[in-house]
Amino acid sequence: MITTRPFGTTADGTSVTCFRLENAAGAWVEVLDYGCILRAVAVPDRAGALRDVCLGFDTVAEYQENHQGYLGAMVGRCANRIRDARFTLDGREYVLAANERPNHLHGGDRGFDQYVWDHSIEGDTVVFSRTSPDGEEGYPGTLKVRVSYTLTEDNALRLVLEGESDADTVVNLTSHAYWNLNGHGAGGVGSHTLSIDAIALTELGADNCPNGTIASVVGTPFDLRTACPLEAGWDADHPQIRQGGGYDHNWVLRGSGLHRAAVLAAPESGITLSLSTTQPGLQVYTGNFLPETAGKGGARYAPRCGVAMEAQGFPNAMNLPGFPSVVLRAGERYHQEIIFAFGHN
Ligand code: BGC
């Protein structure tokens, strides 16, 4: 069942709508047409009580003021960093907004997270769409994108990300939801355990962009093939951990097609989150630089009070030919899926 309610307006006066998706079991999700933001996900803990496990805000103004945290947002055209905010495609160099100098991050000064999208409701699915004009933030091609959210009866949230462009361009969309499986206001996520189906990660250079090296995780704090508490690794004495200020890295996923990439679990609540995706990479960001802010219902957010698991193409792929391509050719279809499946133990 999907219901809607007004969610205020943006600073320039555009109305924002909140969509509530609820299943027969009583689990529910809220998404906004502003930035396709996932603002709440309420799922049962092991005692059967619903907990909202997704960080978010109560007003559009707070999303706008805190946009650099990308809470719950759909990031695009290209998630993550592009070194020196430039790339070459079909022999031509494109210069992008350098919103994290000298790099481009999460789509630029005004990425997809900062627009009110068009919407439609198709059965149990909310569909958001927008047309990103040729040249937006420096990217070539008029790109039509569509993002849909469906809550299934077994407490899985399915995101389908689609796009089509009239010229060769770059597309790499992901959801930037932060999770705290004890409840969004429950404090640090250090005791959460995480497993990732990967034996390698893309090594970061001094500029926080992958330098092209695919490094083995074996014998490092990045080996999460067996679930480990986040706090066991995020302050480890390892040069890559120091570079990221904790976990802020892209793992090279082993599976192909729609595959299970990671499982996050909170021992206290018993809630588990299993992430499946068609994407080749998983950026895990343990909120190392989340500012001290007031979140929904006056909850206190601070560094490391949520973890983002961003299924995506590899960061800086446009400048590293050995990485899987994030180019979308004119007339071809972009199609990716991310499934956040909730359970408890
Ligand atoms: C990046 C972080 C960045 C954060 C917020 C994450 O996806 O990996 O480095 O600080 O987004 O902008």
Side-chain angles (χ1 to χ4, degrees):
M1 188 179 69
I2 298 177
T3 51
T4 66
R5 66 183 162 91
F7 194 77
T9 57
T10 61
D12 71 4
T14 311
S15 299
V16 174
T17 302
C18 178
F19 300 79
R20 183 181 159 113
L21 292 66
E22 188 169 341
N23 67 17
W28 57 269
V29 162
E30 284 185 353
V31 287
L32 306 178
D33 53 4
Y34 178 71
C36 300
I37 284 171
L38 182 58
R39 79 167 286 272
V41 175
V43 290
D45 63 16
R46 71 160 70 83
L50 290 180
R51 297 197 194 197
D52 177 0
V53 295
C54 178
L55 275 62
F57 295 113
D58 286 327
T59 64
V60 183
E62 288 165 290
Y63 278 108
Q64 293 197 287
E65 282 156 23
N66 298 289
H67 74 90
Q68 284 170 337
Y70 301 89
L71 268 67
M74 181 54 49
V75 293
R77 273 186 208 199
C78 186
N80 219 303
R81 296 182 172 84
I82 298 179
R83 176 182 293 140
D84 290 337
R86 58 187 65 224
F87 64 85
T88 300
L89 176 61
D90 301 334
R92 183 171 156 194
E93 182 171 73
Y94 292 91
V95 178
L96 306 171
N99 60 314
E100 195 198 56
R101 286 183 185 284
N103 302 318
H104 177 86
L105 174 68
H106 292 331
D109 290 324
R110 189 176 182 192
F112 288 7
D113 56 297
Q114 293 178 70
Y115 286 89
V116 177
W117 294 48
D118 296 329
H119 68 264
S120 63
I121 295 175
E122 300 176 8
D124 287 337
T125 300
V126 182
V127 181
F128 298 116
S129 54
R130 83 172 284 262
T131 299
S132 170
D134 180 31
E136 189 173 71
E137 301 293 323
Y139 290 103
T142 302
L143 174 72
K144 290 187 173 166
V145 280
R146 207 178 117 102
V147 170
S148 71
Y149 290 85
T150 310
L151 178 64
T152 67
E153 290 305 324
D154 56 355
N155 298 347
L157 180 62
R158 177 169 182 245
L159 279 64
V160 179
L161 320 172
E162 294 167 290
E164 206 171 353
S165 175
D166 64 357
D168 292 357
T169 190
V170 178
V171 187
N172 180 19
L173 305 178
T174 194
S175 169
H176 207 289
Y178 293 86
W179 306 103
N180 184 326
L181 301 181
N182 290 328
H184 71 96
V189 289
S191 64
H192 283 44
T193 64
L194 178 65
S195 64
I196 303 179
D197 185 22
I199 52 167
L201 84 159
T202 54
E203 190 179 283
L204 294 179
D207 57 5
N208 274 334
C209 292
N211 57 17
T213 300
I214 304 280
S216 168
V217 298
V218 176
T220 77
F222 298 95
D223 189 349
L224 300 180
R225 288 173 296 168
T226 303
C228 291
L230 291 172
E231 63 198 4
W234 66 13
D235 285 324
D237 185 19
H238 186 280
Q240 283 292 303
I241 290 282
R242 284 195 292 277
Q243 180 63 37
Y247 289 122
D248 192 1
H249 298 77
N250 171 63
W251 274 256
V252 176
L253 297 175
R254 277 201 283 203
S256 59
L258 182 61
H259 59 281
R260 187 151 93 173
V263 179
L264 182 70
E268 188 260 305
S269 67
I271 296 175
T272 59
L273 164 51
S274 165
L275 186 154
S276 298
T277 187
T278 51
Q279 309 247 47
L282 183 71
Q283 180 87 13
V284 173
Y285 171 54
T286 46
N288 309 313
F289 303 104
L290 269 176
E292 304 257 351
T293 33
K296 288 181 291 190
R300 293 186 54 78
Y301 296 163
R304 296 184 167 175
C305 76
V307 52
M309 300 196 292
E310 309 155 52
Q312 58 188 248
F314 294 2
N316 196 31
M318 284 309 292
N319 293 309
L320 293 165
F323 282 5
S325 173
V326 290
V327 170
L328 178 68
R329 298 286 171 197
E332 283 182 357
R333 294 186 72 79
Y334 171 86
H335 181 111
Q336 300 288 351
E337 295 185 27
I338 301 172
I339 297 175
F340 298 115
F342 297 90
H344 53 76
N345 56 32

